[in-house]
PDB file of all heavy atoms in Angstrom:
ATOM      1  N   PHE A   1     -13.358  18.014  91.023  1.00  0.00           N
ATOM      2  CA  PHE A   1     -13.738  17.958  89.604  1.00  0.00           C
ATOM      3  C   PHE A   1     -15.114  18.553  89.369  1.00  0.00           C
ATOM      4  O   PHE A   1     -15.412  19.026  88.269  1.00  0.00           O
ATOM      5  CB  PHE A   1     -13.667  16.523  89.098  1.00  0.00           C
ATOM      6  CG  PHE A   1     -12.272  16.048  88.839  1.00  0.00           C
ATOM      7  CD1 PHE A   1     -11.733  14.995  89.566  1.00  0.00           C
ATOM      8  CD2 PHE A   1     -11.481  16.659  87.893  1.00  0.00           C
ATOM      9  CE1 PHE A   1     -10.431  14.555  89.332  1.00  0.00           C
ATOM     10  CE2 PHE A   1     -10.180  16.235  87.652  1.00  0.00           C
ATOM     11  CZ  PHE A   1      -9.658  15.186  88.380  1.00  0.00           C
ATOM     12  N   ALA A   2     -15.967  18.552  90.381  1.00  0.00           N
ATOM     13  CA  ALA A   2     -17.313  19.120  90.234  1.00  0.00           C
ATOM     14  C   ALA A   2     -17.304  20.641  90.201  1.00  0.00           C
ATOM     15  O   ALA A   2     -18.339  21.268  89.948  1.00  0.00           O
ATOM     16  CB  ALA A   2     -18.204  18.638  91.374  1.00  0.00           C
ATOM     17  N   ALA A   3     -16.162  21.246  90.416  1.00  0.00           N
ATOM     18  CA  ALA A   3     -16.080  22.708  90.478  1.00  0.00           C
ATOM     19  C   ALA A   3     -15.891  23.370  89.122  1.00  0.00           C
ATOM     20  O   ALA A   3     -16.028  24.596  89.012  1.00  0.00           O
ATOM     21  CB  ALA A   3     -14.937  23.114  91.408  1.00  0.00           C
ATOM     22  N   ARG A   4     -15.546  22.598  88.089  1.00  0.00           N
ATOM     23  CA  ARG A   4     -15.291  23.186  86.776  1.00  0.00           C
ATOM     24  C   ARG A   4     -15.962  22.365  85.676  1.00  0.00           C
ATOM     25  O   ARG A   4     -16.278  21.196  85.854  1.00  0.00           O
ATOM     26  CB  ARG A   4     -13.787  23.264  86.505  1.00  0.00           C
ATOM     27  CG  ARG A   4     -13.044  24.277  87.369  1.00  0.00           C
ATOM     28  CD  ARG A   4     -11.574  24.343  86.965  1.00  0.00           C
ATOM     29  NE  ARG A   4     -10.882  25.453  87.632  1.00  0.00           N
ATOM     30  CZ  ARG A   4     -10.293  25.346  88.816  1.00  0.00           C
ATOM     31  NH1 ARG A   4     -10.294  24.178  89.466  1.00  0.00           N
ATOM     32  NH2 ARG A   4      -9.692  26.392  89.346  1.00  0.00           N
ATOM     33  N   THR A   5     -16.125  22.996  84.513  1.00  0.00           N
ATOM     34  CA  THR A   5     -16.710  22.312  83.362  1.00  0.00           C
ATOM     35  C   THR A   5     -15.674  21.387  82.712  1.00  0.00           C
ATOM     36  O   THR A   5     -14.467  21.497  82.964  1.00  0.00           O
ATOM     37  CB  THR A   5     -17.192  23.322  82.310  1.00  0.00           C
ATOM     38  OG1 THR A   5     -16.041  24.002  81.774  1.00  0.00           O
ATOM     39  CG2 THR A   5     -18.165  24.326  82.905  1.00  0.00           C
ATOM     40  N   LEU A   6     -16.181  20.521  81.849  1.00  0.00           N
ATOM     41  CA  LEU A   6     -15.276  19.637  81.122  1.00  0.00           C
ATOM     42  C   LEU A   6     -14.306  20.449  80.268  1.00  0.00           C
ATOM     43  O   LEU A   6     -13.115  20.114  80.186  1.00  0.00           O
ATOM     44  CB  LEU A   6     -16.070  18.675  80.242  1.00  0.00           C
ATOM     45  CG  LEU A   6     -15.234  17.746  79.366  1.00  0.00           C
ATOM     46  CD1 LEU A   6     -14.370  16.815  80.212  1.00  0.00           C
ATOM     47  CD2 LEU A   6     -16.108  16.941  78.419  1.00  0.00           C
ATOM     48  N   ALA A   7     -14.790  21.495  79.616  1.00  0.00           N
ATOM     49  CA  ALA A   7     -13.905  22.319  78.779  1.00  0.00           C
ATOM     50  C   ALA A   7     -12.788  22.930  79.612  1.00  0.00           C
ATOM     51  O   ALA A   7     -11.627  22.983  79.180  1.00  0.00           O
ATOM     52  CB  ALA A   7     -14.710  23.410  78.086  1.00  0.00           C
ATOM     53  N   GLU A   8     -13.123  23.383  80.807  1.00  0.00           N
ATOM     54  CA  GLU A   8     -12.092  23.955  81.678  1.00  0.00           C
ATOM     55  C   GLU A   8     -11.082  22.895  82.104  1.00  0.00           C
ATOM     56  O   GLU A   8      -9.873  23.139  82.113  1.00  0.00           O
ATOM     57  CB  GLU A   8     -12.754  24.583  82.904  1.00  0.00           C
ATOM     58  CG  GLU A   8     -13.556  25.842  82.589  1.00  0.00           C
ATOM     59  CD  GLU A   8     -14.328  26.348  83.783  1.00  0.00           C
ATOM     60  OE1 GLU A   8     -15.028  25.546  84.433  1.00  0.00           O
ATOM     61  OE2 GLU A   8     -14.235  27.558  84.072  1.00  0.00           O
ATOM     62  N   TRP A   9     -11.595  21.718  82.442  1.00  0.00           N
ATOM     63  CA  TRP A   9     -10.673  20.646  82.840  1.00  0.00           C
ATOM     64  C   TRP A   9      -9.818  20.187  81.668  1.00  0.00           C
ATOM     65  O   TRP A   9      -8.644  19.839  81.841  1.00  0.00           O
ATOM     66  CB  TRP A   9     -11.445  19.471  83.429  1.00  0.00           C
ATOM     67  CG  TRP A   9     -11.896  19.692  84.840  1.00  0.00           C
ATOM     68  CD1 TRP A   9     -13.171  19.713  85.315  1.00  0.00           C
ATOM     69  CD2 TRP A   9     -11.050  19.962  85.958  1.00  0.00           C
ATOM     70  NE1 TRP A   9     -13.184  19.974  86.660  1.00  0.00           N
ATOM     71  CE2 TRP A   9     -11.886  20.132  87.088  1.00  0.00           C
ATOM     72  CE3 TRP A   9      -9.673  20.095  86.130  1.00  0.00           C
ATOM     73  CZ2 TRP A   9     -11.395  20.395  88.356  1.00  0.00           C
ATOM     74  CZ3 TRP A   9      -9.171  20.360  87.390  1.00  0.00           C
ATOM     75  CH2 TRP A   9     -10.020  20.508  88.495  1.00  0.00           C
ATOM     76  N   THR A  10     -10.368  20.172  80.490  1.00  0.00           N
ATOM     77  CA  THR A  10      -9.590  19.769  79.317  1.00  0.00           C
ATOM     78  C   THR A  10      -8.383  20.681  79.138  1.00  0.00           C
ATOM     79  O   THR A  10      -7.272  20.219  78.837  1.00  0.00           O
ATOM     80  CB  THR A  10     -10.474  19.800  78.057  1.00  0.00           C
ATOM     81  OG1 THR A  10     -11.548  18.871  78.218  1.00  0.00           O
ATOM     82  CG2 THR A  10      -9.674  19.434  76.822  1.00  0.00           C
ATOM     83  N   GLU A  11      -8.580  21.970  79.353  1.00  0.00           N
ATOM     84  CA  GLU A  11      -7.469  22.922  79.237  1.00  0.00           C
ATOM     85  C   GLU A  11      -6.478  22.749  80.386  1.00  0.00           C
ATOM     86  O   GLU A  11      -5.253  22.727  80.184  1.00  0.00           O
ATOM     87  CB  GLU A  11      -8.016  24.342  79.216  1.00  0.00           C
ATOM     88  CG  GLU A  11      -6.953  25.400  79.028  1.00  0.00           C
ATOM     89  CD  GLU A  11      -7.530  26.803  78.934  1.00  0.00           C
ATOM     90  OE1 GLU A  11      -8.762  26.931  78.812  1.00  0.00           O
ATOM     91  OE2 GLU A  11      -6.738  27.769  78.978  1.00  0.00           O
ATOM     92  N   ARG A  12      -6.994  22.589  81.608  1.00  0.00           N
ATOM     93  CA  ARG A  12      -6.122  22.496  82.772  1.00  0.00           C
ATOM     94  C   ARG A  12      -5.326  21.199  82.804  1.00  0.00           C
ATOM     95  O   ARG A  12      -4.175  21.158  83.254  1.00  0.00           O
ATOM     96  CB  ARG A  12      -6.945  22.617  84.059  1.00  0.00           C
ATOM     97  CG  ARG A  12      -7.539  23.986  84.289  1.00  0.00           C
ATOM     98  CD  ARG A  12      -8.352  24.005  85.573  1.00  0.00           C
ATOM     99  NE  ARG A  12      -7.488  23.819  86.739  1.00  0.00           N
ATOM    100  CZ  ARG A  12      -6.864  24.787  87.379  1.00  0.00           C
ATOM    101  NH1 ARG A  12      -6.954  26.042  86.940  1.00  0.00           N
ATOM    102  NH2 ARG A  12      -6.117  24.523  88.429  1.00  0.00           N
ATOM    103  N   LEU A  13      -5.942  20.110  82.354  1.00  0.00           N
ATOM    104  CA  LEU A  13      -5.297  18.800  82.439  1.00  0.00           C
ATOM    105  C   LEU A  13      -4.421  18.471  81.232  1.00  0.00           C
ATOM    106  O   LEU A  13      -3.901  17.369  81.125  1.00  0.00           O
ATOM    107  CB  LEU A  13      -6.356  17.700  82.613  1.00  0.00           C
ATOM    108  CG  LEU A  13      -7.242  17.801  83.859  1.00  0.00           C
ATOM    109  CD1 LEU A  13      -8.221  16.625  83.911  1.00  0.00           C
ATOM    110  CD2 LEU A  13      -6.410  17.861  85.134  1.00  0.00           C
ATOM    111  N   ALA A  14      -4.267  19.414  80.334  1.00  0.00           N
ATOM    112  CA  ALA A  14      -3.454  19.175  79.135  1.00  0.00           C
ATOM    113  C   ALA A  14      -2.018  18.805  79.489  1.00  0.00           C
ATOM    114  O   ALA A  14      -1.350  18.081  78.740  1.00  0.00           O
ATOM    115  CB  ALA A  14      -3.470  20.408  78.237  1.00  0.00           C
ATOM    116  N   THR A  15      -1.542  19.271  80.635  1.00  0.00           N
ATOM    117  CA  THR A  15      -0.159  18.974  81.048  1.00  0.00           C
ATOM    118  C   THR A  15      -0.079  17.876  82.103  1.00  0.00           C
ATOM    119  O   THR A  15       1.002  17.594  82.619  1.00  0.00           O
ATOM    120  CB  THR A  15       0.502  20.246  81.601  1.00  0.00           C
ATOM    121  OG1 THR A  15      -0.295  20.773  82.680  1.00  0.00           O
ATOM    122  CG2 THR A  15       0.647  21.299  80.519  1.00  0.00           C
ATOM    123  N   LEU A  16      -1.195  17.265  82.427  1.00  0.00           N
ATOM    124  CA  LEU A  16      -1.195  16.180  83.415  1.00  0.00           C
ATOM    125  C   LEU A  16      -0.409  14.991  82.870  1.00  0.00           C
ATOM    126  O   LEU A  16      -0.616  14.572  81.720  1.00  0.00           O
ATOM    127  CB  LEU A  16      -2.627  15.772  83.740  1.00  0.00           C
ATOM    128  CG  LEU A  16      -2.825  14.701  84.810  1.00  0.00           C
ATOM    129  CD1 LEU A  16      -2.336  15.201  86.168  1.00  0.00           C
ATOM    130  CD2 LEU A  16      -4.292  14.309  84.883  1.00  0.00           C
ATOM    131  N   SER A  17       0.463  14.431  83.670  1.00  0.00           N
ATOM    132  CA  SER A  17       1.342  13.360  83.177  1.00  0.00           C
ATOM    133  C   SER A  17       0.639  12.012  83.056  1.00  0.00           C
ATOM    134  O   SER A  17       1.063  11.163  82.285  1.00  0.00           O
ATOM    135  CB  SER A  17       2.560  13.224  84.098  1.00  0.00           C
ATOM    136  OG  SER A  17       2.150  12.962  85.430  1.00  0.00           O
ATOM    137  N   GLY A  18      -0.417  11.798  83.820  1.00  0.00           N
ATOM    138  CA  GLY A  18      -1.103  10.498  83.790  1.00  0.00           C
ATOM    139  C   GLY A  18      -2.215  10.437  82.759  1.00  0.00           C
ATOM    140  O   GLY A  18      -2.737  11.473  82.313  1.00  0.00           O
ATOM    141  N   PRO A  19      -2.628   9.220  82.353  1.00  0.00           N
ATOM    142  CA  PRO A  19      -3.680   9.062  81.339  1.00  0.00           C
ATOM    143  C   PRO A  19      -5.063   9.457  81.876  1.00  0.00           C
ATOM    144  O   PRO A  19      -5.455   9.067  82.973  1.00  0.00           O
ATOM    145  CB  PRO A  19      -3.627   7.564  81.009  1.00  0.00           C
ATOM    146  CG  PRO A  19      -2.322   7.082  81.546  1.00  0.00           C
ATOM    147  CD  PRO A  19      -2.006   7.939  82.716  1.00  0.00           C
ATOM    148  N   TRP A  20      -5.782  10.217  81.067  1.00  0.00           N
ATOM    149  CA  TRP A  20      -7.169  10.559  81.365  1.00  0.00           C
ATOM    150  C   TRP A  20      -7.863  10.838  80.036  1.00  0.00           C
ATOM    151  O   TRP A  20      -7.211  11.027  79.010  1.00  0.00           O
ATOM    152  CB  TRP A  20      -7.254  11.798  82.277  1.00  0.00           C
ATOM    153  CG  TRP A  20      -6.866  13.067  81.570  1.00  0.00           C
ATOM    154  CD1 TRP A  20      -5.620  13.554  81.368  1.00  0.00           C
ATOM    155  CD2 TRP A  20      -7.764  13.981  80.918  1.00  0.00           C
ATOM    156  NE1 TRP A  20      -5.650  14.710  80.646  1.00  0.00           N
ATOM    157  CE2 TRP A  20      -6.963  15.007  80.358  1.00  0.00           C
ATOM    158  CE3 TRP A  20      -9.145  14.041  80.768  1.00  0.00           C
ATOM    159  CZ2 TRP A  20      -7.506  16.061  79.646  1.00  0.00           C
ATOM    160  CZ3 TRP A  20      -9.685  15.099  80.055  1.00  0.00           C
ATOM    161  CH2 TRP A  20      -8.876  16.094  79.515  1.00  0.00           C
ATOM    162  N   ALA A  21      -9.179  10.870  80.050  1.00  0.00           N
ATOM    163  CA  ALA A  21      -9.929  11.157  78.829  1.00  0.00           C
ATOM    164  C   ALA A  21     -11.303  11.685  79.181  1.00  0.00           C
ATOM    165  O   ALA A  21     -11.867  11.335  80.220  1.00  0.00           O
ATOM    166  CB  ALA A  21     -10.065   9.899  77.972  1.00  0.00           C
ATOM    167  N   PRO A  22     -11.864  12.511  78.310  1.00  0.00           N
ATOM    168  CA  PRO A  22     -13.266  12.904  78.478  1.00  0.00           C
ATOM    169  C   PRO A  22     -14.163  11.730  78.090  1.00  0.00           C
ATOM    170  O   PRO A  22     -13.827  10.957  77.174  1.00  0.00           O
ATOM    171  CB  PRO A  22     -13.424  14.059  77.496  1.00  0.00           C
ATOM    172  CG  PRO A  22     -12.409  13.784  76.429  1.00  0.00           C
ATOM    173  CD  PRO A  22     -11.248  13.135  77.129  1.00  0.00           C
ATOM    174  N   VAL A  23     -15.270  11.574  78.764  1.00  0.00           N
ATOM    175  CA  VAL A  23     -16.261  10.565  78.373  1.00  0.00           C
ATOM    176  C   VAL A  23     -17.150  11.213  77.313  1.00  0.00           C
ATOM    177  O   VAL A  23     -17.798  12.235  77.569  1.00  0.00           O
ATOM    178  CB  VAL A  23     -17.088  10.108  79.580  1.00  0.00           C
ATOM    179  CG1 VAL A  23     -18.169   9.126  79.143  1.00  0.00           C
ATOM    180  CG2 VAL A  23     -16.170   9.456  80.621  1.00  0.00           C
ATOM    181  N   GLN A  24     -17.189  10.624  76.120  1.00  0.00           N
ATOM    182  CA  GLN A  24     -17.891  11.225  74.987  1.00  0.00           C
ATOM    183  C   GLN A  24     -18.950  10.289  74.434  1.00  0.00           C
ATOM    184  O   GLN A  24     -18.766   9.071  74.404  1.00  0.00           O
ATOM    185  CB  GLN A  24     -16.888  11.578  73.877  1.00  0.00           C
ATOM    186  CG  GLN A  24     -15.806  12.549  74.326  1.00  0.00           C
ATOM    187  CD  GLN A  24     -14.889  12.995  73.210  1.00  0.00           C
ATOM    188  OE1 GLN A  24     -14.485  14.145  73.158  1.00  0.00           O
ATOM    189  NE2 GLN A  24     -14.518  12.094  72.315  1.00  0.00           N
ATOM    190  N   ASP A  25     -20.047  10.868  73.966  1.00  0.00           N
ATOM    191  CA  ASP A  25     -21.068  10.062  73.309  1.00  0.00           C
ATOM    192  C   ASP A  25     -20.801  10.018  71.807  1.00  0.00           C
ATOM    193  O   ASP A  25     -19.813  10.586  71.307  1.00  0.00           O
ATOM    194  CB  ASP A  25     -22.478  10.561  73.647  1.00  0.00           C
ATOM    195  CG  ASP A  25     -22.764  11.983  73.151  1.00  0.00           C
ATOM    196  OD1 ASP A  25     -22.166  12.408  72.134  1.00  0.00           O
ATOM    197  OD2 ASP A  25     -23.598  12.672  73.766  1.00  0.00           O
ATOM    198  N   SER A  26     -21.701   9.362  71.084  1.00  0.00           N
ATOM    199  CA  SER A  26     -21.458   9.122  69.658  1.00  0.00           C
ATOM    200  C   SER A  26     -21.570  10.378  68.816  1.00  0.00           C
ATOM    201  O   SER A  26     -21.125  10.382  67.663  1.00  0.00           O
ATOM    202  CB  SER A  26     -22.436   8.056  69.135  1.00  0.00           C
ATOM    203  OG  SER A  26     -23.780   8.444  69.389  1.00  0.00           O
ATOM    204  N   LEU A  27     -22.136  11.453  69.352  1.00  0.00           N
ATOM    205  CA  LEU A  27     -22.148  12.731  68.645  1.00  0.00           C
ATOM    206  C   LEU A  27     -20.930  13.569  69.029  1.00  0.00           C
ATOM    207  O   LEU A  27     -20.315  14.215  68.180  1.00  0.00           O
ATOM    208  CB  LEU A  27     -23.439  13.497  68.965  1.00  0.00           C
ATOM    209  CG  LEU A  27     -23.577  14.892  68.336  1.00  0.00           C
ATOM    210  CD1 LEU A  27     -23.522  14.812  66.806  1.00  0.00           C
ATOM    211  CD2 LEU A  27     -24.870  15.554  68.790  1.00  0.00           C
ATOM    212  N   GLN A  28     -20.569  13.543  70.297  1.00  0.00           N
ATOM    213  CA  GLN A  28     -19.460  14.362  70.785  1.00  0.00           C
ATOM    214  C   GLN A  28     -18.121  14.000  70.157  1.00  0.00           C
ATOM    215  O   GLN A  28     -17.248  14.855  70.015  1.00  0.00           O
ATOM    216  CB  GLN A  28     -19.389  14.262  72.313  1.00  0.00           C
ATOM    217  CG  GLN A  28     -20.547  14.965  72.999  1.00  0.00           C
ATOM    218  CD  GLN A  28     -20.787  14.493  74.415  1.00  0.00           C
ATOM    219  OE1 GLN A  28     -20.221  13.488  74.856  1.00  0.00           O
ATOM    220  NE2 GLN A  28     -21.637  15.201  75.141  1.00  0.00           N
ATOM    221  N   VAL A  29     -17.955  12.735  69.747  1.00  0.00           N
ATOM    222  CA  VAL A  29     -16.675  12.361  69.135  1.00  0.00           C
ATOM    223  C   VAL A  29     -16.406  13.153  67.863  1.00  0.00           C
ATOM    224  O   VAL A  29     -15.253  13.351  67.467  1.00  0.00           O
ATOM    225  CB  VAL A  29     -16.600  10.839  68.837  1.00  0.00           C
ATOM    226  CG1 VAL A  29     -16.647  10.030  70.110  1.00  0.00           C
ATOM    227  CG2 VAL A  29     -17.701  10.402  67.873  1.00  0.00           C
TER     228      VAL A  29
END
C-alpha cells in the first residue's frame, strides 16, 4: 500500500469485493 497514492488505490480498489474506505478529515469529506 505504501507504493501508491490514495487516489491510485481508490481507482484500483473500486472492484475489491471486501469493505474498505479512505481515512478522511473534516475537510476532505
Side-chain angles (χ1 to χ4, degrees):
F1 283 117
R4 291 184 171 89
T5 66
L6 177 63
E8 291 173 311
W9 282 119
T10 298
E11 183 177 349
R12 291 179 66 87
L13 300 181
T15 56
L16 183 64
S17 58
W20 71 277
V23 176
Q24 301 185 142
D25 63 28
S26 56
L27 178 60
Q28 290 160 349
V29 296

